[in-house]
Amino acid sequence: MTKEIKLLTALPYKQRERLMELAKEVSFAEDARIFEAGGTADRFWVIRSGAVHLDQQVTSMRRVTVASLGAGDLLGWSWLFPPYRWDFGAEAFSRVRAYEFDGSAALALSVEDPLLGLSLVRTVAEILARRLELTRGRLLEQYTIPRRGL
């Protein structure tokens, strides 16, 4: 399995510094809903401290946690891809401090600085691939039926 990728440490220094010019420090209280699946995805965060659960509504009364994120993790990637809607919901599991980035501003900066744009898209793609790999592993663990008597 590949190692965990952190957005800010994966970007080249100069591009990270340019992106950080857009950063705004924010915090979320424990149990705060950060976004809902289907909502407009116009920003993203890099978690500085605390924990966030990504969830999927499976019935009208039940949400299932699909991933847990912590310090250094990217929260939100739907701002990068049309139709710019959240695929999951997110809730603060504890008090969370994060850097918040405006998606439109990050995209504009990516056009202005193509190396930043390429680095940002490649890093987000690597993060998504890693999360998909982890999710696939969890599903295999949950749904693999042990063979008995063989």
Side-chain angles (χ1 to χ4, degrees):
M1 212 176 263
T2 58
K3 73 178 196 119
E4 192 66 33
I5 298 160
K6 306 294 183 179
L7 177 68
L8 294 180
T9 56
L11 291 175
Y13 176 79
K14 185 177 177 184
Q15 282 66 41
R16 179 175 57 244
E17 291 299 308
R18 293 212 57 203
L19 183 64
M20 287 304 295
E21 291 172 8
L22 304 176
K24 176 176 127 182
E25 291 186 27
V26 298
S27 63
F28 301 99
E30 181 177 352
D31 297 328
R33 289 299 291 174
I34 300 170
F35 55 82
E36 294 288 350
T40 301
D42 59 357
R43 64 197 67 239
F44 65 98
W45 300 265
V46 173
I47 300 169
R48 296 175 58 212
S49 65
V52 173
H53 288 178
L54 294 179
D55 56 45
Q56 184 70 54
Q57 193 84 33
V58 292
T59 68
S60 62
M61 301 293 290
R62 185 167 176 242
R63 293 176 204 241
V64 174
T65 298
V66 296
S68 297
L69 306 176
D73 286 333
L74 170 67
L75 172 59
W77 51 266
S78 299
W79 61 275
L80 192 53
F81 306 103
Y84 309 108
R85 298 275 178 217
W86 299 119
D87 287 316
F88 301 101
E91 185 169 314
F93 184 70
S94 64
R95 183 173 186 271
V96 172
R97 292 180 18 197
Y99 293 119
E100 181 178 86
F101 299 87
D102 177 278
S104 295
L107 289 171
L109 187 59
S110 294
V111 170
E112 179 185 315
D113 182 345
L115 182 55
L116 171 61
L118 178 61
S119 297
L120 189 58
V121 169
R122 288 184 78 167
T123 302
V124 170
E126 287 181 50
I127 291 168
L128 291 176
R130 170 71 174 152
R131 289 187 188 166
L132 181 60
E133 181 181 349
L134 291 172
T135 301
R136 187 184 73 144
R138 282 192 213 113
L139 287 172
L140 287 172
E141 287 173 8
Q142 279 190 336
Y143 294 103
T144 300
I145 301 171
R147 295 182 178 190
R148 295 184 186 158
L150 293 180

